[in-house]
Amino acid sequence: MSRQSTRRTALTALAATVALTLAACGAKSGETSTATTAAATADTTGGTVKVGLLNSLSGTMAISEVTVRDSLLLAVEQINASGGVLGKKIEPVSEDGASDWPTFAEKAQKLISVDKVAATFGGWTSASRKQMLPVFEKNKALLFYPVQYEGLEASPYIFYTGATTNQQIIPALDYLKGEGKKTLFLVGSDYVFPRTANKEIRAYAEANGMTVVDEQYKPLGNTEFSAIVDKIKSSKPDAVFNTLNGDSNVAFWKQYKSVGLEAATTPVMSVSIAEEEAKAIGPQYLSGQLVAWNYYMTTDTPKNKEFVAAYKAKYGEDKPTSDPMEAAYVSVFLWKAMVEKAGSFDVEKVKAAADGITFDAPEGLVTVDGSNQHIAKTARIGKIGDDGTITEVWNSGKPIEPDPFLKTYDWAAGLS
Amino acid sequence: MAVLTQLFTGISFGAVLLLVALGLVLTFGQMNVINMAHGELIMAGAYTVYMLQKVVTSAGASLLVALPVAFVVSGLLGLAMEMLLLRRLYHRPLDTLLVTWGLSLVLQQAARDLFGAPNKQTAAPEWLTGAVEVGALTLPASRLFILAVAVVAVGGLSVALTATSLGRRIRAVVQNRNLAATSGIPTARVDRTTFFIGSGLAGVAGVALTLLGAIGPSMGTSYIVDAFLVVVAGGVGRIQGAVVMAFVIGMLNALLEYQVGASVAKVLVFVAVVLFIQWRPQGLFTLRTRSLA
Amino acid sequence: MSALDRLTRPGPLRAALGFGLGALVLLVVAPATLSQFRLDLLAKYLCFGIVAVGIGLAWGRGGMLTLGQGVYFGIGAYAMAMHLKLAQTPPGELPDFMQLYGEVTELPLWWQPFRQASVAVPATVLLPMLVAFVLGQAVFRRRIKGPYFAILSQALAAAMAILIVGQQGTTGGTNGLTDITSFFGYDLGDPVNRTTVYVVVAVCLLGCLAVARQLMQSRYGELLVAVRDAPERVRFLGYDPANVQTFAYTVAAGMAGLAGAMFVCAVQAINPASIDIVPSIAFVIGVAVGGRATLLGPALGAIGVAWLTTAASEALADRWTYIQGGLFILVVAFLPNGLASLPRVVGDAVRRRPAEVTS
Amino acid sequence: MTDQTAAGLRIRDLRVVFDGFVAVDGVDLDVPRGDLRFLIGPNGAGKTTIVDAVTGLSKATGSVQFGEQELLGREVHRIARAGIGRTFQTATVFEELTVLQNLDIAAGAGRGFARLLRRRRGVPEAVERVLGTIHLADATDRLAGTLAHGQKQWLEIGMLLVQDARLLLLDEPVAGMSHEERDATGALLQEIADGDRTVVIVEHDMEFLRKFARTVTVLHQGRVLSEGSVAQVQADPKVQEVYLGTAADAAVVAEGVDGVDGAGVDGVKVEG
């Protein structure tokens, strides 16, 4: 007994010594060097260049993110077919974010330090982006984020190819205002995008003579909407602004119709329902309702016809394309253009080359704004038809310059 | 009038809770299996509607046909679980929780591979998408339908348990397995039947839920905690307990949601149930015995 | 008895050997051989290992299946993250996310105490213990146990996650607290400092193992097993089983809190998704896979499952859930005492004796 | 009332009701200190329920005093610490712990927290003594779950002894034992009840009762039917009529015919 406990004590002591030694080393260098982090270097020595695709392939977000991954793969395939980037074929490395935000950070780090990717494409929820942001900044590596989001962010190592608020939400509000809607009911999932978006909507409403009659949130995944649709019915708003996401949307629409609410009397403006979601909800519930995006499957550009045809050829006739998928598709081409302009895969050189890059995208011409690394996009309001397709009823005419912090809007002064 | 609407909302919540929890009254309450894959049995029921609509194109007919078919589909799935895995775990109830958790992961991924990750759309018959106006009260037809399904399911289960020989056998096995076995009751077969019915009820719930929410791989996960709380708070194995608690929790949830919003309401409901269990650890209705512990 | 037999048998020799081997691997071999990225990941896994040690005590020895360790993990993690967040915020300013969401103009009262490291650091362990003590006394005194306790603790984890998500302005909502850049003044971007964090985590794990071992070997450990198997009998011997259970539960909560605090240092972020039902169950799964009633089984199981999750998802981005789910099913159903019992089960099979099964 | 009764078990007007069913209906019972009392009666007579009430397991009204202390309304473990120990119809020992660990736990209710957190070194003296008494000295390190049936029951009695119970309530302590084991157990119980320890036994085994009981209380439908020495009770016509039904069965009890023990008289012994 005593011999063994001596041995254990000795081992504990050994462990403690090692710990203290290492701790001491850490302390020393920590004091002297705060910026020892080496910039991520892409491995471009071979005939290929790796890029990371980081999307949730399992868990609740897989519903949306799998299609983004498919779209990214299509872009990679097309670029490779036309000779690659700087003469190198792109080799995509796909990782599963698993709808779990720390996993996004972990996989981002893995793509950067193990796979040595030149850039990473992906992320969907704000939470996943916020988790990845420090990883990319710390490693000085690039992320292309393809989803509309709540704005108020401009990381030097992220390119935002989805809409920021002034390219989606504000045009949607402008449209409702133009239609003479005075009272709004806000309903959203309980997370960052809806809460932030609704704050902006309230500020906009106040400045534009509109009233917000109520603001309601549901935990993500919750499907019990009786109380909310009942509140909408009794408060009789001119329009509903819907920032729900995921499964909750299906439940909301089914229950919205079940109490007799209709597009004709109480239209709903949604910012998270694209063709894929519309298909899952069912046109019988959505017919006549409004959505705000920058792209629809029906958007009438020659590029879009090619894109839709290519996507269907690869994944099936019944597969729709949507705004985030298009933004993801575009992001790969934008990166290619930046790299070719820079003549290098080096992150800083690519960033330096970004400003003013244009691409003739399925959604129309897009231009990268180097100052905030967002892109100028055309806003489009769409109406859902009886067959579930979305047709454009209004667009902004020209691409809207990105303004993630809403600096050009007086009413938004108090927001951030 | 607002009060009446809120009450009906509460009843609507309660009916859904009751439907998703009813199967657990059998599998958890009577058999002590903590089936975390119950949500995936619900999912199987919902996908049954989706598949059936490829064959039976009339939305109304397909929904009505789906009720018995989903009962059988989910029931068979549950039966397979019972025969392959759970039967060896009856003396380890907590382990059934872990095994079925693993099963639920696998079943969700299987649904993703079979049907694709995106949600699926099912058509609801026109007569179930609108509302019935009673005075100033708007009663959604889908809610009334779900309420009816819940009432029929509870009634059917009660009759089955009390008035049939199968029900008597189930209760006998639950109350004293050894005695039942020595009295010539084939306990293994009774176990399988019980699990089949409990799982089948989850399938029925899945059909009903297609009228309310999404049909997708992870649809079951959002109901599982609520369902277990209903059964625990109601008194394990007691149908009347599940009925009362489902409506009490539903009502509480609805009324709180009108006051403080959905997120806080949900938290308050959870806390209330936890406090209730503190007060009555055996649930609302208990079968009192003199047995130790 | 052969030498191998003696080493694989439960007893002080095997424990000392395991502890020493563990220390050697964790503190010398791992830092020397793993890349920085893998070492950071290992630090994260070790945090799960720390939670698992506590669960092994509460569940394996005490029979309390807690599906809500996320609550304590979360309290520890948020306490630490709040402190680190405040520490890197310039004086007079609000943490970045509060400015961004702009719902508050000054630091909420309940954030204030966490400014001081002398409050925040002990709080990462003591606060979870306090909550667990109160809850444990309430629950175990009412003789709530088994599935009831499991479901109840699960509901609490869900409630806590929803609560944090709903209070975006003061908790960061679903985003949580991210972008934690320094650890008591040391830059967490610096690999050397990250290695230091790893070592601290590893030492914490070894410390928790030592505490758990002492508790398991003590009279208290015997009493805890007695309470697990026949609580009423213990009561008639003049003990209050509620106190016996509460103690183990409280210790487990303290370990979970410590793990949460360490997790924040290793991962540099915390959000509600890490403390919800799913991660809470994942902790337990690791324990079950490793061997719930053993000392090392829970920690090794949790670390192993976390590693496997990473490895499987890297190898098979689409299908890894099958591997994960399949492993849980197979181990729990067919190897109820976890992989730790594999040598014995195999040995028993060789000797043609049925394996002993306990729950 | 003598001094002896005052120091023993004194039950007054004990009533236990389960969901409207009156299991114990106003029982008065005095067991003097040092007595070896048997409680008998048909199924449902309330024997075990009285033990449950005394030890705090079942809620009851009335009064239960042991020594000077009132027991009713106190928590189970407090009653146990007041010196009341009991066993159950089915032997309940900690199967995954060794004999030594079982006894050590039983001996340790008074230990402080700091001592609990330390490892046990050696065998406590009280445990050492009892190990011999219950014939388990050779089995100290065996898991209790691996003991033979009779050994488990002895272990339980041993646990009561190291617990230093003053009042021992035993529920069918010799069920399933061989003749030799029964006699040994009986002798042990007589030895235990020979000082200031009081023993109350719920038992069906008439031969065992005849051999070892000092006093007997007969219960019927929750009430005391008869009380006295074995001979007195056997001679009581009320007992013969109500409890035994026919004179033929009464003869069986009176003679304690081999092979016809409690099970034969009582039918199935399931009360739990």
Side-chain angles (χ1 to χ4, degrees), chain C residues 243-306:
Chain C
N243 289 339
V244 179
Q245 288 173 303
T246 303
F247 182 71
Y249 185 58
T250 305
V251 170
M255 289 182 182
L258 176 67
M262 289 294 119
F263 180 84
V264 165
C265 300
V267 177
Q268 296 148 48
I270 181 69
N271 63 45
S274 300
I275 68 178
D276 206 342
I277 293 178
V278 173
S280 293
I281 294 183
F283 292 145
V284 172
I285 294 286
V287 174
V289 168
R292 63 193 75 166
T294 57
L295 175 69
L296 290 170
L300 292 178
I303 296 166
V305 167

Side-chain angles (χ1 to χ4, degrees), chain C residues 141 214-215 217-220 222-223 225-226 228-230 233-240 247 358, chain D residues 55 76-77 80-81 86 88 92 96-97 101 104-105 108-109 111 113 116-120 156 163:
Chain C
R141 221 161 262 301
Q214 177 59 33
L215 288 179
Q217 301 277 320
S218 69
R219 280 183 151 125
Y220 170 78
E222 294 168 358
L223 186 57
V225 171
R228 178 191 72 191
D229 293 343
R233 190 74 192 85
V234 175
R235 203 185 294 281
F236 285 106
L237 290 175
Y239 297 92
D240 187 351
F247 182 71
T358 52
Chain D
T55 52
V76 168
H77 69 278
R81 286 193 186 190
R86 74 171 287 183
F88 297 89
T92 316
E96 293 205 10
L97 297 176
Q101 286 170 331
D104 185 62
I105 286 173
R111 284 186 193 121
F113 196 58
L116 264 185
L117 292 186
R118 281 205 298 276
R119 207 181 295 210
R120 176 170 31 73
E156 265 208 295
Q163 187 188 351

Side-chain angles (χ1 to χ4, degrees), chain C residues 92-110:
Chain C
E93 278 184 28
L94 289 175
D96 51 7
F97 73 93
M98 283 192 201
Q99 297 177 34
L100 197 60
Y101 306 139
E103 286 170 26
V104 288
T105 48
E106 57 184 274
L107 199 64
L109 207 61
W110 59 276

Side-chain angles (χ1 to χ4, degrees), chain B residues 98-117:
Chain B
L98 302 175
V99 166
T100 52
W101 171 255
L103 268 173
S104 105
L105 288 180
V106 168
L107 288 174
Q108 280 182 39
Q109 188 61 40
R112 217 165 267 134
D113 286 341
L114 283 174
F115 301 101

